[in-house]
Amino acid sequence: MNGPRFSRLPPWRLVSLTLALCGAASAQTAPSLSLDDALARLEAAPSVTAARLSVQTAQTAQTGLNAARTALGLTISVNGNAAYSVPVTAADGTATPGSTGGAAGVNISLGLLPWASNQSGLKTAERGLALAQARLTDAQNSARLNVAQQYFAAVLATQDVDIAARTLALRQRQFTVAQMQQATGNATAGNVLSAQAGVQSAQGTGLQAAASLEAAQRGLEAALGSAVGRVTFSTQPPDTVTLPDVSALVAQARATRSEVIQAQNTLGAAQETSATQQREATLPDLTASVRYGPGGSGGLTTALNLQQGTVSAGYSLPLGSSAGAGSNRLSASVTGSYVVYSPNQKAQLSAAGASVTQAQLSLNVAQQNVELDVRTRYSTLQTGLIAVQTRETGVQVAGLALQTAQTRLQAGTGTADDVSAAELDLAQAERDLLAARITAQTSLLQLQNAAGGPQ
């Protein structure tokens, strides 16, 4: 029997060998992907695509805002009319000649007073632009956080795969030793079965670690909206994280979070509605006009509407047989009305005031909620930093244990497997430290997002 030696290996040995070969080949050929490289691909991410639509909305709002600022409700229109009457002969023979008439003119309207409708539109455009920009920032921050989380999950899974491969190699050696000891009568069948169970457990851990790595890669691809392929993840989380100023973060969140801006917009709209209702109740619907021109028709006319806050001007030129009739003169007029008693108007005023109170309460609640969110995530970051310190101590303990195992091996009182086990303990401690640093870095990003983005 000179067949391949692999055919005599048990199935678990074939699986472990295949995994080891594939892992080695992948490590040698896979290109490196840094976190900055991953973030640079965010343009294709679905969440950023949605954010780009928000940008377009913001740009549209900006265009409307600029137009409102420039024109302030300016409206220019032209008008005209024409008429013709045919000649008429009466029964008594009196003839009335035909005549032509008409006028052509131009009208200009401009929002002048602070409560003019165009001013209200300007404020609405400003609020819409501010909210669009805040939501765009939220989307960008959320996308960056998602990419960082998936990337660091892949970093941690890569570490798990390495530890799993080293653990499997140690368990295989221990199983071989147990078989040899059983052959010489120094181990029981139970010892061999226990060692074999250790090998099988290490195999399961290795497969689970490989699955976690693949899931992290797929999650990163989903976050980026593009394929990543087989790569190595070179960026490590920072060794230290500095606690930011929580008071500054709270102030930033209470001013810039989209929930707060939306509540401010609701309050602003409610205040404008209330002001409009109050103005209609206190100001008369008054229109004052001044005209200069011929006594019949035509000439220059200006008017001011008090409630609407608009001023208008127009010029009309008589045409036809009516042109030039009469001398120019100046005339002024005032028309208006005032509501003395209206239960419906009183009810509207009350409802508008209640809406302002409710909107103010909603704004207070929104600010309290974002402050609570910031302070909660700040506490989470503090806990994470304590965990990092604990894991750093654990690495030091594992390092001392490895030194002890190496010393015992040199003195002849320990085995190479003892050293390998101590090395694995150190690798596991370093892995736990890596996980703690990743958690701390992620908590920092979440805290920054809760405050409305990095300062």
Side-chain angles (χ1 to χ4, degrees), residues 276-349:
T276 299
Q277 297 288 346
Q278 189 68 33
R279 186 168 56 252
E280 291 178 354
T282 56
L283 292 180
D285 186 6
L286 184 68
T287 300
S289 62
V290 177
R291 176 180 174 275
Y292 178 78
S297 62
L300 177 65
T301 303
T302 61
L304 172 66
N305 187 288
L306 184 61
Q307 277 196 358
Q308 295 180 1
T310 58
V311 62
S312 61
Y315 179 77
S316 178
L317 178 65
L319 302 175
S321 58
S322 61
S327 59
N328 293 331
R329 64 179 182 176
L330 180 66
S331 61
S333 65
V334 178
T335 61
S337 63
Y338 182 75
V339 177
V340 178
Y341 176 74
S342 173
N344 182 51
Q345 187 179 70
K346 185 176 181 180
Q348 290 178 346
L349 277 173

Side-chain angles (χ1 to χ4, degrees), residues 73-80 104-110 312-316:
L74 176 64
T75 302
I76 301 176
S77 61
V78 295
N79 57 75
V106 58
N107 289 318
I108 300 175
S109 177
L110 182 67
S312 61
Y315 179 77
S316 178

